[in-house]
Amino acid sequence: MSIKTLDVEKLNKSTGNQYELITIMSKRARQIAAQEKLQLDEKLKYFEGFEDEDEFSFNEEQENISKDFEKLPHPTQRAVDEMRRGEIYFRYPQDEE
């Protein structure tokens, strides 16, 4: 996977501060990673409680499910792409009062 340069100045227009931008994107990346983990756990939960009689086929299916999740783009990259497209919504805590 090649490394892509990131023009922080272009992305910075939405927040006005590069540190806020990075914080927002990192929080979104954590959200994406947590959602993926829940989805993976839910799919693998199906295999819990089965007897060992057909363990090989179950292991192969579990491996295929895991590999499908590994093929997804990294959560950080997806968060950056969402920020580029303007799909991330953020608000400041002091504005909620």
Side-chain angles (χ1 to χ4, degrees):
M1 185 165 117
S2 63
I3 297 174
K4 298 177 185 176
T5 57
L6 182 62
D7 188 3
V8 179
E9 295 302 320
K10 277 186 181 177
L11 292 174
N12 207 14
K13 291 177 184 174
S14 60
T15 62
N17 185 333
Q18 68 186 14
Y19 300 107
E20 287 178 357
L21 171 73
I22 292 170
T23 302
I24 291 166
M25 288 191 300
S26 67
K27 286 184 179 186
R28 178 61 184 140
R30 282 190 220 113
Q31 288 174 345
I32 293 169
Q35 288 171 350
E36 283 182 4
K37 173 116 175 70
L38 287 174
Q39 290 173 352
L40 178 62
D41 289 345
E42 209 169 292
K43 287 185 178 187
L44 293 178
K45 189 178 275 191
Y46 167 78
F47 298 102
E48 292 178 5
F50 283 104
E51 298 296 322
D52 292 338
E53 57 196 42
D54 200 15
E55 187 175 325
F56 181 73
S57 66
F58 283 137
N59 285 341
E60 191 173 316
E61 289 178 45
Q62 288 172 322
E63 185 178 332
N64 289 336
I65 290 171
S66 297
K67 284 182 180 180
D68 287 341
F69 273 89
E70 288 176 6
K71 289 178 185 176
L72 293 172
H74 196 274
T76 305
Q77 183 61 48
R78 290 174 38 204
V80 169
D81 291 340
E82 286 179 5
M83 184 60 96
R84 279 186 182 147
R85 293 188 300 262
E87 297 174 356
I88 294 181
Y89 172 76
F90 61 93
R91 61 184 179 271
Y92 298 100
Q94 67 268 21
D95 293 344
E96 292 179 1
E97 296 173 355

